[in-house]
Amino acid sequence: MRIHGDEFQAMVERVMQVTELTSRLNVLPFGDEAGKAELLEQILGGPLPAGVTVYPPFYTDHGLNLDLAERVFINQNCTFLDYAGIRLGEKTMIGPKATFITGGHPIDPAERKVWVNFAPIDIAENVWIGAGATILPGVSIGRDSVVAAGAVVADDVPPATLVTGAKATVNRQW
């Protein structure tokens, strides 16, 4: 998506609206279930599915492309940059401070301030995402898998797999 185009401007307007809504959500008393449900419905564009639990603070930039199945659990301080779509399958558990990012910029410095690239994230059923994990654009995580705390997931994860690690390495220079 071109940063200086109409589509980008529409996205920015939605981000501003959702930022206002999440700001209000994140200062509610913890036990205000009705207030939390009302704001989450506005953020996500509909009511929460059965058995979904969201512990604020909760952050999203778009909200309308965050698809939560039944019995999803989202712990405190999680971030969902969902413009390209994030699906959380049934019985998925998300640890505190987990981050899901569907957008990014090109590596080339000249293109970095002109374009934003997007790819969806798909999390299958019964997945556990550990505290502080980061899931990057385009990743699919298979059923029954576990992403360890602090892991950075840049590639697809097969079903029933444990993934770990967050060590950065130099891949190339320009």
Side-chain angles (χ1 to χ4, degrees), residues 1-15 83 105 114-116 118:
M1 170 190 313
R2 190 169 184 80
I3 288 177
H4 301 291
D6 292 341
E7 184 181 8
F8 185 81
Q9 186 57 42
M11 181 187 74
V12 168
E13 289 170 14
R14 175 65 186 169
V15 168
Y83 186 77
H105 296 271
V114 178
W115 298 98
V116 181
F118 294 97

Side-chain angles (χ1 to χ4, degrees), residues 96-153:
K97 296 186 179 181
T99 302
F100 297 74
I101 303 169
T102 65
H105 296 271
I107 293 172
D108 183 305
E111 294 182 6
R112 198 175 300 154
K113 295 182 181 183
V114 178
W115 298 98
V116 181
N117 304 320
F118 294 97
I121 294 171
D122 186 65
I123 310 298
E125 294 73 25
N126 204 38
V127 170
W128 176 19
I129 308 291
T134 300
I135 314 302
L136 296 176
V139 167
S140 292
I141 298 177
R143 181 183 183 92
D144 298 323
S145 290
V146 175
V147 174
V152 177
V153 184

